């Protein structure tokens, strides 16, 4: 390729080690102004480390960084900011109690000539930035009153208002619905057209193919190649990422659904987030649940897991289960995995073993005294069985990758011996390799006779795994499909509009 | 692993995320306590050299006896803090339960009724606070702040602000024997402290309750979704804190041979400082009672040393505060230091 523009930032031979792991090994990369450059690879491949070197959080052990052709040492995040390098990650960094305008100008509030905060200008300028991005919120609203998606847009508004020259999106879309992702990508493309360079870290294929012109693939800290998009086919890109073919990505099972394991009749929440919903799931069957964020699909999971109060009847294995709290869900044989791993599933400062042992809470004890040896054996067996990779079972779970944390969470739920599993976004924020392992575990459980309700925002996953698909829209089920031969457009049409596509019929 | 061993997740220093499992570092046997223990030993050596009386058995038993009240309060606070909460009322609860004992003795009640009374009072205090927090759902800071004030006031009200002297009261002898008696050379109180400490360590480490407590402190929502009844847990935690305050009240009256109406505001701070010096995280979900014991001993030895060295007691607060900041700060620096050191090693090898 002959390059018409000189790169905004050029990384040459970047290496970086952390205790016991070589995170980056001789990585070289150019990012040009007006280009969306994708950085992709499995979790733990070094993507985030590279992003953090660019934004000044980490220092490389070796290698050079040039900005506009000038060798530069970015020693700290504020240096990067001054150079116009702004990162946005999935972790929001907004101050929830402050207003939108205050958040946009945090740390650099406009001043009057007396040195006090110029509130009028603050709100006026915030409004201008929001208008420019077509984000329709009142700049005086407190950020905590906004939806997660709007908050993400505020985060971007702040980034852009600093006259960014390089925007780093570190998995910024991973917690967004498709509609919100769409909006975000629109904004990104607009910034690109204005000459901003973008480094986009993502493993969502549709996003890469939509917005990026180049993809650099990392594996185990090494650069496997930089390829043009969208010319490079998806399977070639995946092969670069994982180093092997993913023939059997979603796996398969050979089982005919038998008796009804879960029967739900008129289940609803009192706040109207979930309208009366009825369905059945058989043993050996996966029921996919699709829908946008706020469509009620997450609430369905929470209601089945006892996390939120609900009304209606739930029958597990033919027996009616009164589920008013999580404990009753556990006791009646429903294994629920919530969508927010960090906030609702893991005990961050406890060991892998203790996290896993939540599976047997209460049952693996005699007169309240834990059967420690038995537990230790079961934990080690479980870690092996569910493929948890950790130095040992006593390390804190927060030191594990997202994929391994999720395997602990799923493993402990499976180990409970439930017949019904309600899994909400089971592969959110985990890499391709871990996803494939999670799918295999899931298939194994179903083959063994479990019934699974798979709630997911990722349509490929639903279509690849489920036997039937329910599509939620505004709190209720608007369509039910047989997964055989179903395509994404058909499901997406119902999810967005509540009605099946007319043209496709 | 011994019973009193430190919390495994505190001392497990292992490489992050998916690193080669082969490099498993040998564990420092004292884990996070190393700094505090070394400092404690250093102070002891210094005192042993400068104050010959320091190492005498009499002085040692004196340190233990004079810090038993703090130890009991700190053990209660350890449970509360591990569970992700805090209790501002414990020192006031100590005064209130002490006054209850004082009144019982003054009224000439038999010894066993008198001894049971502060414990029962402590449990009632814990029960009411637990119910208000867990089931009426008033915030913990409001409830315990409110009780701090109410119980301190209660202690003043019941005897019109005067100390109740129980010396010579018919039921007092067993209390006195319990607090000041000895078995051979060993004070009964020292044995009692050890038993309570072991029991607390056992509960935290080997019971379903202890495990659930750590889980709740680490992530209450995850604990709840996995079937732990967090409301009940909070109630139990406050029962434990109340029980600890009741026992502390008993010991306090025995030592002073009277129930003091005015509560000592430094007790609460000292107890919490001891818990934090002992490595229990204020954010919940990690820590243990062995650390708390070390924290109490550390503050106790320093105080003893200052008394022996005839340093004015006014300095006590300054010294305690500085030690708290140093101990927690060194823990932070130590974690960071380990990371730096390991980075140096891998850079050389890689």
């Amino acid at each position: 390729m002959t390059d018409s523009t000189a790169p905004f930032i050029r990384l040459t031979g970047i290496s970086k080690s952390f205790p016991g792991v070589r995170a980056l090994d001789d990585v070289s990369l150019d990012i040009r102004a007006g280009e969306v450059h994708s950085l992709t690879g499995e979790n733990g491949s070094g993507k985030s480390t590279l992003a953090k070197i660019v934004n000044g959080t980490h220092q490389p052990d070796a290698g050079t960084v040039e900005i506009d052709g000038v060798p530069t040492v970015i020693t700290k995040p504020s240096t990067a900011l001054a150079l116009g390098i702004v990162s946005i990650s999935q972790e929001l960094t907004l101050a929830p109690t402050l207003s939108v305008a205050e958040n946009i100008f945090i740390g650099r509030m406009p001043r009057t000539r007396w040195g006090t905060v110029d509130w009028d200008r603050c709100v006026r300028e915030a409004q201008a930035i929001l208008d420019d991005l077509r984000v329709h919120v009142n700049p005086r609203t407190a950020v905590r009153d906004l939806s997660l998606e709007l908050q993400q847009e505020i985060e971007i508004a702040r980034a852009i208002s600093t006259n960014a020259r390089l925007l780093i999106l570190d998995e910024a879309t991973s917690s967004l619905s498709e509609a919100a992702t769409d909006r975000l990508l629109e904004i990104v493309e607009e910034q690109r057209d204005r000459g901003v360079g973008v480094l986009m870290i993502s493993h969502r294929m549709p996003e890469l193919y939509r917005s990026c012109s180049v993809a650099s693939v990392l594996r185990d800290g090494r650069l496997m190649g930089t390829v043009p998009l969208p010319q490079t086919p998806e399977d070639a890109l995946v092969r670069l990422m994982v180093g092997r073919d993913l023939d059997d990505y979603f796996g398969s099972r050979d089982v005919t659904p038998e008796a009804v394991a879960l029967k739900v009749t008129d289940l609803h929440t009192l706040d109207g987030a979930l309208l009366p919903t009825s369905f059945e799931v058989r043993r050996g069957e996966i029921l996919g649940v699709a829908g946008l964020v706020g469509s009620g699909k997450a609430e369905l999971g929470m209601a089945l897991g006892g996390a939120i109060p609900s009304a209606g009847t739930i029958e597990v294995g033919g027996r009616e289960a009164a589920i008013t709290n999580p404990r009753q869900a556990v006791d009646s044989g429903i294994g629920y995995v919530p969508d927010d791993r960090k906030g609702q599933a893991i005990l961050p400062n406890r060991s892998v073993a203790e996290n896993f042992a939540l599976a047997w809470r209460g049952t693996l004890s005699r007169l309240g005294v834990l059967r420690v040896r038995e537990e230790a054996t079961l934990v080690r067996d479980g870690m092996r069985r569910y493929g948890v990779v950790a130095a040992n079972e006593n390390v804190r779970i927060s030191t594990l990758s997202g994929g391994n944390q999720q395997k602990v969470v799923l493993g402990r739920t499976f180990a409970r011996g439930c017949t019904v599993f309600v899994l909400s976004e089971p592969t959110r924020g985990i890499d391709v390799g871990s996803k494939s392992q999670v799918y295999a575990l899931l298939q194994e459980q179903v083959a063994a006779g479990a019934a699974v309700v798979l709630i997911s925002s990722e349509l490929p996953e639903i279509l690849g795994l489920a036997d039937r698909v329910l599509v939620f829209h505004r709190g209720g089920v608007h369509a039910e499909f047989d997964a055989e031969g179903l395509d994404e457009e058909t499901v997406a049409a119902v999810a967005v509009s509540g009605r099946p596509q007319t043209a496709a019929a | 692993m011994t019973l009193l061993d430190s919390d495994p997740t505190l001392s497990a220093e292992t490489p992050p995320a998916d690193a080669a499992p082969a490099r498993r570092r040998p564990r420092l046997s004292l884990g996070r306590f190393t700094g505090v223990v070394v400092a404690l030993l250093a102070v002891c050596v210094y005192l042993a050299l400068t104050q010959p009386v320091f190492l005498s058995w009499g002085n040692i038993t004196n340190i233990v006896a004079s810090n038993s009240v703090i130890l009991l309060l700190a053990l209660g606070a350890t449970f509360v803090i591990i569970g992700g909460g805090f209790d501002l009322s414990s020192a006031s609860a100590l005064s209130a339960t002490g006054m209850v004992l004082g009144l019982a003795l003054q009224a000439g009640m038999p010894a066993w009724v008198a001894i049971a009374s502060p414990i029962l009072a402590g449990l009632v205090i814990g029960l009411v606070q637990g119910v208000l927090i867990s089931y009426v759902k008033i915030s913990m800071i409001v409830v315990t702040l409110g009780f701090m004030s109410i119980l301190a006031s209660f202690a003043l009200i019941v005897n019109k602000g005067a100390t109740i002297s129980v010396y010579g009261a018919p039921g007092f002898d067993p209390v006195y024997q319990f607090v000041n008696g000895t078995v051979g050379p060993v004070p009964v109180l020292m044995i009692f402290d050890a038993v309570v400490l072991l029991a607390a360590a056992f509960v935290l480490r080997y019971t379903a309750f202890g495990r659930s407590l750590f889980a709740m402190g680490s992530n209450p929502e995850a604990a709840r979704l996995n079937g732990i009844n967090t409301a009940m847990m909070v109630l139990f935690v406050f029962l434990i804190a109340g029980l600890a305050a009741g026992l502390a009240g008993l010991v306090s009256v025995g030592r002073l041979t009277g129930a003091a109406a005015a509560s000592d505001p430094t007790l609460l701070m000292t107890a919490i400082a001891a818990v934090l010096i002992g490595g229990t995280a204020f954010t919940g979900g990690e820590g243990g009672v062995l650390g708390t014991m070390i924290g109490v001993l550390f503050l106790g030895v320093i105080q003893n040393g200052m008394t022996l060295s005839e340093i004015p007691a006014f300095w006590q607060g300054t010294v305690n505060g500085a030690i708290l900041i140093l101990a927690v700060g060194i823990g932070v620096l130590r974690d960071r230091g380990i990371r730096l050191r390991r980075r140096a090693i891998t850079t050389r090898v890689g």
Side-chain angles (χ1 to χ4, degrees):
Chain A
M1 258 198 293
T2 51
D3 302 315
S4 49
T5 49
F8 166 66
I9 186 166
R10 162 166 284 170
L11 308 175
T12 316
I14 298 288
S15 295
K16 174 76 185 171
S17 294
F18 291 111
V21 53
R22 198 161 176 86
L24 288 173
D25 189 2
D26 194 20
V27 174
S28 301
L29 206 67
D30 286 357
I31 305 167
R32 266 162 257 286
E35 162 189 280
V36 183
H37 192 130
S38 153
L39 187 60
T40 185
E42 294 188 68
N43 272 5
S45 62
K47 303 183 303 274
S48 290
T49 309
L50 191 64
K52 283 180 179 159
I53 283 176
V54 175
N55 76 16
T57 311
H58 293 321
Q59 312 307 313
D61 298 335
T64 55
V65 178
E66 284 171 47
I67 290 176
D68 293 329
V70 183
T72 310
V73 181
I74 306 174
T75 48
K76 51 185 188 292
S78 57
T79 315
L81 279 176
L83 290 164
I85 299 170
V86 183
S87 330
I88 298 171
S89 69
Q90 55 176 328
E91 317 283 343
L92 296 178
T93 57
L94 301 173
T97 55
L98 299 185
S99 72
V100 169
E102 284 172 286
N103 269 289
I104 289 178
F105 291 109
I106 203 160
R108 53 193 179 96
M109 298 288 279
R111 299 293 169 95
T112 64
R113 82 200 122 112
W114 311 109
T116 58
V117 173
D118 189 342
W119 288 106
D120 287 342
R121 213 169 95 210
C122 177
V123 171
R124 213 167 47 237
E125 287 181 11
Q127 187 72 60
I129 292 163
L130 295 171
D131 287 347
D132 190 34
L133 292 176
R134 294 190 303 280
V135 178
H136 303 295
V137 298
N138 183 339
R140 295 177 200 271
T141 318
V143 158
R144 65 160 170 228
D145 295 336
L146 303 177
S147 70
L148 194 70
E149 291 164 357
L150 276 171
Q151 290 186 16
Q152 185 83 312
E153 293 186 8
I154 303 304
E155 183 102 22
I156 291 166
R158 177 169 72 192
I160 286 165
S161 69
T162 58
N163 297 319
R165 294 189 62 202
L166 175 66
L167 204 56
I168 303 173
L169 300 174
D170 190 353
E171 312 260 9
T173 59
S174 59
S175 54
L176 298 185
S177 70
E178 276 173 55
T181 302
D182 234 47
R183 279 279 300 135
L184 196 150
L185 293 180
E186 251 172 54
I187 294 172
V188 165
E189 284 158 15
E190 222 169 275
Q191 293 300 312
R192 174 195 64 194
D193 296 343
R194 291 181 190 181
V196 174
V198 181
L199 181 65
M200 191 164 106
I201 299 178
S202 173
H203 29 239
R204 284 195 184 173
M205 292 294 169
E207 291 168 18
L208 305 190
Y209 281 88
R210 169 177 161 175
S211 304
C212 303
S213 51
V214 197
S216 290
V217 181
L218 290 178
R219 191 201 314 156
D220 301 329
R222 288 198 187 81
L223 185 67
M224 302 315 292
T226 299
V227 296
L229 288 180
Q231 297 91 318
T232 311
E234 195 170 321
D235 53 349
L237 200 57
V238 171
R239 208 176 308 125
L240 277 180
M241 284 159 76
V242 298
R244 65 190 152 86
D245 285 318
L246 290 178
D247 304 330
D248 202 21
Y249 187 41
F250 293 111
S252 60
R253 58 186 180 272
D254 185 21
V255 54
T256 6
E258 325 154 35
V260 173
L262 174 70
K263 184 169 188 236
V264 172
T265 316
D266 288 334
L267 184 69
H268 61 279
T269 60
L270 302 176
D271 61 3
L274 177 68
L275 302 174
T277 298
S278 305
F279 61 86
E280 292 180 354
V281 194
R282 295 168 178 280
R283 296 182 66 118
E285 187 182 42
I286 297 180
L287 177 71
V289 177
L292 303 178
V293 169
S295 63
K297 69 177 196 303
E299 285 76 10
L300 173 68
M302 291 191 257
L304 289 172
I308 54 172
S310 63
T313 50
I314 300 169
E315 284 170 52
V316 181
R319 254 206 311 267
E320 193 168 318
I323 296 178
T324 57
N325 62 43
R327 182 166 207 160
Q328 287 169 331
V330 171
D331 290 345
S332 40
I334 294 180
Y336 169 60
V337 172
D339 53 5
D340 181 1
R341 181 168 55 244
K342 206 168 128 199
Q344 303 184 316
I346 62 165
L347 311 173
N349 55 10
R350 306 307 299 169
S351 66
V352 172
E354 270 185 51
N355 271 277
F356 203 100
L358 273 181
W360 310 288
R361 185 210 50 74
T363 55
L364 207 66
S365 57
R366 193 178 291 124
L367 298 174
V369 178
L370 296 171
R371 287 187 276 184
V372 184
R373 275 206 198 109
E374 208 171 320
E375 183 186 279
T377 315
L378 283 170
V379 164
R380 276 194 293 271
D381 288 352
M383 284 174 65
R384 210 173 305 124
R385 165 126 200 251
Y386 300 108
V388 177
V389 181
N392 63 65
E393 68 274 16
N394 291 322
V395 298
R396 284 187 190 214
I397 193 163
S398 54
T399 65
L400 267 53
S401 68
N404 277 306
Q405 292 181 10
Q406 189 68 1
K407 280 183 263 174
V408 173
V409 172
L410 286 168
R412 78 165 176 231
T413 313
F414 292 151
R416 240 171 228 157
C418 299
T419 48
V420 176
F421 296 107
V422 178
L423 312 177
S424 197
E425 310 290 353
T427 63
R428 174 175 283 174
I430 70 178
D431 61 87
V432 181
S434 297
K435 275 188 184 178
S436 168
Q437 286 172 289
V438 165
Y439 297 146
L441 293 175
L442 202 54
Q443 299 282 18
E444 194 185 300
Q445 291 296 320
V446 177
V452 171
V453 177
L454 173 69
I455 301 166
S456 176
S457 296
E458 296 196 23
L459 285 179
E461 166 173 302
I462 288 193
L463 297 178
L465 292 169
D467 298 290
R468 284 181 299 129
V469 180
L470 297 182
V471 189
F472 270 76
H473 178 76
R474 296 206 175 152
V477 176
H478 275 242
E480 178 175 346
F481 296 108
D482 196 323
E484 190 74 44
L486 187 64
D487 60 22
E488 288 190 32
E489 286 72 34
T490 314
V491 176
V494 181
V496 172
S497 68
R499 281 185 310 274
Q501 235 168 0
T502 39
Chain B
M1 220 176 279
T2 64
L3 181 64
L4 279 175
D5 204 343
S6 66
D7 181 2
T9 48
L10 282 179
S11 47
E13 287 140 13
T14 33
D18 313 337
R23 274 177 14 97
R24 189 168 166 175
R25 302 186 67 217
R27 246 183 62 190
L28 292 170
S29 54
L30 285 166
R32 183 170 277 191
F33 307 134
T34 318
V36 183
V37 170
V38 168
L40 175 59
L41 290 178
V43 172
C44 288
V45 167
Y46 171 79
L47 288 174
L49 293 176
T50 57
Q51 306 290 339
V53 73
F54 175 73
L55 275 188
S56 69
W57 181 244
N59 189 49
I60 290 170
T61 54
N62 175 42
I63 292 175
V64 171
S66 57
N67 285 286
S68 290
V69 168
I70 294 279
L71 178 71
L72 289 165
L73 289 184
L75 288 179
T78 307
F79 278 80
V80 180
I81 294 174
I82 285 175
F86 45 82
D87 176 10
L88 299 172
S89 70
S90 61
S92 299
L94 156 76
S95 310
T97 55
M99 285 309 275
V100 169
L101 174 58
L103 290 177
L105 288 172
Q106 200 178 35
M109 291 194 184
W112 68 270
V113 178
I115 288 177
S117 66
I119 294 168
L120 216 63
L123 288 172
V124 169
I125 290 166
L127 179 73
V128 175
Q129 292 193 86
V131 166
L132 288 176
I133 294 163
S134 283
Y135 296 101
V136 187
K137 302 204 186 297
I138 305 172
S139 91
M140 198 177 285
I141 188 162
V142 172
V143 172
T144 61
L145 189 63
F147 266 80
M148 173 169 91
S149 179
I150 292 169
L151 294 170
S153 168
F154 169 85
L156 291 168
I157 292 168
V158 290
N159 200 38
K160 300 191 173 65
T163 295
I164 302 174
S165 175
V166 295
Y167 199 76
F172 182 61
D173 193 51
V175 178
Y176 186 85
Q177 284 309 321
F178 166 60
V179 176
N180 299 300
T182 56
V183 177
V186 186
V188 177
L189 198 51
M190 196 187 250
I191 298 169
F192 174 74
D193 286 348
V195 169
V196 172
L197 195 65
L198 284 170
F202 181 84
V203 167
L204 282 180
R205 179 167 276 281
Y206 290 114
T207 65
F209 172 81
R211 190 60 76 67
S212 300
L213 187 67
F214 280 108
M216 180 171 77
S218 183
N219 184 344
E221 185 61 8
R224 189 179 79 94
L225 288 181
N226 281 285
I228 292 169
N229 188 340
T230 46
M232 186 94 87
M233 291 289 302
V234 170
L235 179 62
F236 277 148
V237 162
F238 273 86
L239 282 176
I240 290 173
L243 174 66
L247 290 172
L250 179 65
V251 172
S252 166
V253 170
R255 280 186 55 76
L256 300 171
T257 63
S263 33
D264 177 358
T266 62
L267 280 180
L268 171 69
M269 287 306 151
T270 310
I272 290 181
V275 174
L276 299 184
I277 289 170
T280 294
F282 205 65
T283 44
E286 51 188 312
V289 290
L290 173 65
T292 297
M293 182 199 76
I294 295 171
V296 171
L297 269 182
F298 196 17
L299 294 180
V301 166
I302 295 274
Q303 184 185 30
N304 180 255
M306 287 175 66
T307 312
L308 294 179
S309 316
E310 292 169 353
I311 297 170
F314 302 136
W315 285 94
Q316 187 70 41
T318 306
V319 172
N320 283 3
I323 288 171
L324 172 64
I325 293 169
L326 269 176
V328 176
I330 286 170
V332 174
L333 292 177
R334 184 175 163 274
D335 287 355
R336 208 178 295 158
I338 280 169
R339 237 174 283 142
L340 289 174
R341 204 162 60 234
R342 277 218 230 99
R343 184 179 306 168
I345 292 166
T346 36
T347 316
R348 226 181 303 125
V349 174

